[in-house]
Every structure is written in structure tokens, then in C-alpha cells.
Amino acid sequence: MAVSKFTPAYKETHSLSSQFSSLTETSVFNNRICFSHPFPRPCNAARAFCSVSQNELQAPVAAQQNDTPKIKHECFGVFCVTYDLVAEEETKSWKKLINVAVSGAAGMISNHLLFKLASGEVFGPDQPIALKLLGSERSFEALEGVAMELEDSLYPLLREVSIGIDPYDVFKGVEWALLIGAKPRGPGMERAALLDVNGQIFAEQGKALNAVASRNVKVLVVGNPCNTNALICMKNAPNIPPKNFHALTRLDENRAKCQLALKAGVFYDKVSNVTIWGNHSTTQVPDFLNAKIGGVPAKEVIQDNHWLENEFTQKVQTRGGALIKKWGRSSAASTAVSIVDAIRSLVTPTPKGDWFSTGVYTTGNPYGIAEDIVFSMPCRSEGDGDYELVEDVIFDDYLRARIKKSEDELLAEKKCVAHLTGEGNAYCDLPGDTMLPGEM
């Protein structure tokens, strides 16, 4: 693994160290010194960064002479020395390295997610990975700490880690972008204000992805309000296929499966074909009409229509708030698990007859849902990162009415961020406060 750093300021020298060969450069960063690997690296980093303090290893005098701030892709840590594998050393069963960017990488969700990514749990035990971690100026030292923990974990599949605060640097060449970082909703903050503040973040990240990411990058938006943030990101990345953008509603699906399993008295692996329709808000629609328990329609197993139409939906929506009340913390770990589930649903074939939920672009959908919004719908995948919408679903008047309510909300949110999607002046007339409990 190599760990690279996009640092806002550093001092450097090209003096040669007596401890290393003439091919080795010496670099100083923030009163630390390290030796770079003499061989070329795929990350295009020419220098290394190590966690060695100045009193442990004194920098050459020449290193003190250049104070010009720069932003550059730098190696971080001892794995710079061990990263490069000559062809005969490469494990032949390994696949080509993939680059995965994670924003909000110093946050609690990422604290659970990054180690799952590095372990091979997400993309497979034969898939080497490079992690590109995006943070802010305030979180930069925390990003260094994250990189240090990843180093100390010695994951053999983790070949590189980069940290930085500029999405144009961090997103360069990435095949997956997991956009977790967003401003939380504070006391008294209106939903319209949150849409604007976070929308600006995702507009900028969309522009960066459009400029430097892989042309077929898959983008999963987690930061709330995730449906409209995904739309904003997509609109600012016109060179990336709209189908490649997803809003995370998998945690809602997982919670719905849990509640159906509890009510039916079965383990949750018996629950399938659960869809979350619509927005990641209190207008979301956990679909029990198409759900199955042990291959049998859920309504035939749970013959309690009042519970299905009322308590079931409420329990799914309020699960996050109930967790905070009990534990005093948000659902960071289960959110990370749902991100893993969402990715694996795209990189592994969907079991025959089943489907999964994800927020995707509605244009061309077969359900009659308004076009040009990001709406959670049932999908299947061949395991190639792509998906198709499921057509063999059934509707009744109850389900259609609930879907329409979520559709109306997302259309209103779209008008509220028109200034961020290039569609004119914003006009906010949101139908109400629909933020999910526990996410304020």
C-alpha cells in the first residue's frame, strides 16, 4: 500500500541522503523528513511523507530554503517504500487496481466503511484498491490519523491511500466516488437552507468528477438530502452518464426488511423483493405490496393491514431516531453496512427473482414517475456496475398515492436548487418538514 497526501504547504529539497543510494530523494513536510522510493509510482508521486518527527531525524539545511506553498500529490508513510510490485511479484489472481474516492473521510460513517473497503469485503478478496480520501482543512489532521490506522492494519489489498482537501486532486481517475461528507442540519435550520448549503458542496464535487474522474465513474451520494444532492452532482457532471449516479436508500430497505422479519417471526434472510420508493425522507414508501417472505407475498404472511399501512412505515422512518435515543449516537455503523450492500448489489449479480433499492435518475422509467429527478426504485444488476429497472412490479391505489407524495416533494426540492443545476432561479415552496428523525 502507498499512502499519498495532497498537502497545502511543504518544504522540499533534492539533497541526497548518505543513508540511501543516489537515486533516492529526501523530502521535508511540516518538520518531518522521509526518503522516497527510487522507482516510479503509479500515483505520480515523486516524494514520500513519513510520520517521523524532526527530533527523530534532522532535515538537511537545504530543506529550509524554499517556503513556497504548493499543492502536490505526495506519498505518505512507510508503504511508499514497499508499494511498487515488479511484474513477477504480482499475485496473478489479482484484478486491476481500482480507485475509490470517499468524501467526509474523517467522519464516523467513513470510520466504519474504509476498513471494509480495504479488507476486500466490498469488491472481493482478489481486488486491489486505492483509497482517495477527501476532507476539509479542519479535518486534515484527522485524515492523517485515518491514513495511519489504515497503514497499521496491513491490508494486503490496499495498495495506496491519498488524502486531500481539493476534489480536483482527490477525484483524479477514480472509478467509484462515495460522497458521504455533508453539513448536518443544525437546530432551527430550514430544509431549504440545508438544500442550498449542501447543494453547493455537491455541485462543486460534480464539476470535479466531470473534469478528472473516469468517464464511467459510479457515484453514490450519501450526504443528505441525498436524492436532490445526487441530482445536483449529476447536473454538474454532464460528461458522466446520468445512470451512474445513485442516492443511498439501502439503509431504509435494510430497516424495512428487519421490521417485516420481526413481525413475521422469521430471520431476515427470508425477506426479499423489498423496495423503498421515492425520497430519503418521511415521504419514502417502504413497499410491502411487492415484498415476499419465504417466497410468499408479505401480505399473505402478515395479515394485519393496519400494521402494514401505518406502523410498518413509521417504524422504518423513525428507526434512526430511536437508535439515537437509546445509544446517544447516530447510525453510522449500519449506514456504512448499507453502503457496502449498495455497492455489492452493483458488482455482484442480483439473485434470480429478487431486486434492490437505490435512488436513480427517473428519465425513461416504466412506472410513470416524473422524469428528471432522482427517485428510489427497484433495480437488478448483472454485477458489472450497471443496473436495470424492474418492470414486473404491481401497484395498488395506496402505493401509487404514497409514491405521488414523494414525487411531489422531490419536484419541489428540484425547484429549490434550480440555481445549482443550471435551470434558472431557485423557488422554494417545500410541502413541509420531512427530514427523517435522527438526521437533524
Side-chain angles (χ1 to χ4, degrees), residues 23-236:
L23 292 175
T24 305
E25 292 178 309
T26 306
S27 302
V28 178
F29 302 86
N30 301 328
N31 298 324
R32 297 167 183 163
I33 186 169
C34 179
F35 302 95
S36 70
H37 195 279
F39 304 107
R41 286 177 292 276
C43 60
N44 297 321
R47 304 171 183 81
F49 175 97
C50 288
S51 302
V52 182
S53 64
Q54 188 177 24
N55 60 9
E56 294 172 303
L57 187 60
Q58 182 62 46
V61 174
Q64 314 292 330
Q65 297 176 356
N66 184 1
D67 293 325
T68 305
K70 296 180 181 179
I71 297 176
K72 196 173 179 65
H73 191 168
E74 303 299 342
C75 285
F76 179 110
V78 67
F79 290 102
C80 283
V81 179
T82 60
Y83 168 71
D84 292 300
L85 296 174
V86 295
E88 59 266 26
E89 293 175 335
E90 293 182 359
T91 304
K92 293 182 180 179
S93 62
W94 279 5
K95 300 175 182 176
K96 180 182 177 183
L97 181 81
I98 60 169
N99 296 278
V100 180
V102 180
S103 75
M108 289 301 298
I109 295 172
S110 295
N111 190 48
H112 295 279
L113 175 65
L114 293 174
F115 299 89
K116 293 178 178 294
L117 290 166
S119 70
E121 180 179 340
V122 183
F123 293 101
D126 59 349
Q127 178 59 72
I129 187 173
L131 289 176
K132 316 291 188 180
L133 309 184
L134 179 65
S136 63
E137 291 186 15
R138 289 177 57 188
S139 69
F140 195 77
E141 285 193 2
L143 282 181
E144 291 181 311
V146 170
M148 290 168 68
E149 269 210 292
L150 287 166
E151 282 186 319
D152 294 344
S153 298
L154 302 182
Y155 290 113
L157 292 170
L158 185 58
R159 311 310 303 171
E160 178 185 338
V161 172
S162 305
I163 60 177
I165 62 175
D166 184 350
Y168 286 86
D169 286 332
V170 177
F171 292 166
K172 190 172 296 183
V174 298
E175 288 98 10
W176 288 82
L178 312 179
L179 306 185
I180 299 171
K183 181 180 176 63
R185 186 181 182 187
M189 178 179 264
E190 296 291 335
R191 186 171 175 84
L194 185 67
L195 281 164
D196 181 63
V197 170
N198 280 339
Q200 293 181 47
I201 295 172
F202 287 91
E204 182 65 18
Q205 291 182 359
K207 292 173 184 175
L209 288 167
N210 193 64
V212 300
S214 163
R215 295 302 82 188
N216 197 37
V217 62
K218 304 296 189 292
V219 183
L220 178 61
V221 175
V222 180
N224 285 311
C226 63
N227 291 60
T228 298
N229 285 340
L231 181 70
I232 292 167
C233 191
M234 182 196 79
K235 292 288 187 178
N236 283 276

Side-chain angles (χ1 to χ4, degrees), residues 191 409 429-435:
R191 186 171 175 84
E409 179 180 62
D429 185 20
L430 301 177
D433 194 340
T434 59
M435 202 73 170

